[in-house]
Amino acid sequence: MNVSELYQSVILDHNSKPRNFREMESFTHRIEGYNPLCGDHFTVFLKLDGDLVADISFVGTGCAISKASTSLMTAAVKGKTRPEALEIFERFHHLITADLDEELDLESVGKLAVFSGVREFPARVKCATLSWHTLRTGLTEDESNSPVTTE
Ligand code: ZN
């Protein structure tokens, strides 16, 4: 399976069966993310226990890339500490915003590597990063109810 086939299958899988796709009853952070360019609109629920991401979930609608990226994001950071989750954010963000000719360390990001192709499509970068920015807002602010937009 080549990278684009892998990309297709991961996106399709997470789009049709998104992980952690539910509302959360008791959360510490509820952050809304909106990408007006595409219409992607998600609410991310975060439950921090001290420095630990004890639980994370999301609801909302968006294109296949945004939904799959949000699903993978929740799977990637659940059970991680806040610094670990922020590091995963940095790696993912670099992965899809790096210059096209830059060699990327795809080993370190696991399944998220399938998103490396997104950097060729600037309009899609916002779809893929929306929920990650939303997550970072929740991780870096004590209380946040202000929506995150990609504009
Ligand atoms: Zn989108």
Side-chain angles (χ1 to χ4, degrees):
M1 206 184 258
N2 65 34
V3 174
S4 75
E5 282 168 347
L6 187 65
Y7 173 76
Q8 289 290 341
S9 79
V10 171
I11 301 279
L12 287 175
D13 174 36
H14 280 264
N15 185 47
S16 61
K17 288 176 295 183
R19 317 302 196 264
N20 305 300
F21 190 70
R22 59 187 157 80
E23 282 200 44
M24 200 186 290
E25 296 276 309
S26 62
F27 51 83
T28 56
H29 298 73
R30 177 186 182 280
I31 319 102
E32 215 178 311
Y34 180 49
N35 173 15
L37 279 182
C38 180
D40 311 316
H41 195 178
F42 296 102
T43 300
V44 174
F45 298 91
L46 196 57
K47 187 183 205 170
L48 292 180
D49 180 3
D51 232 15
L52 188 75
V53 180
D55 200 7
I56 180 168
S57 70
F58 75 106
V59 294
T61 53
C63 65
I65 288 178
S66 67
K67 197 170 185 182
S69 179
T70 309
S71 171
L72 278 154
M73 184 267 292
T74 62
V77 303
K78 195 171 177 176
K80 299 286 193 290
T81 63
R82 191 192 301 233
E84 284 169 345
L86 287 170
E87 197 187 313
I88 295 169
F89 168 89
E90 292 299 337
R91 283 202 219 122
F92 180 77
H93 193 257
H94 180 71
L95 179 76
I96 60 170
T97 56
D99 287 338
L100 284 178
D101 55 5
E102 184 179 331
E103 287 278 341
L104 296 168
D105 174 18
L106 297 179
E107 296 280 304
S108 69
V109 290
K111 262 190 188 166
L112 296 175
V114 299
F115 283 93
S116 63
V118 171
R119 62 189 169 145
E120 291 175 45
F121 309 98
R124 287 307 194 177
V125 168
K126 287 182 175 181
C127 298
T129 54
L130 172 65
S131 60
W132 291 78
H133 286 291
T134 308
L135 167 74
R136 189 175 63 168
T137 298
L139 290 173
T140 55
E141 289 180 12
D142 286 337
E143 288 297 329
S144 173
N145 291 306
S146 51
V148 175
T149 76
T150 53
E151 291 304 282

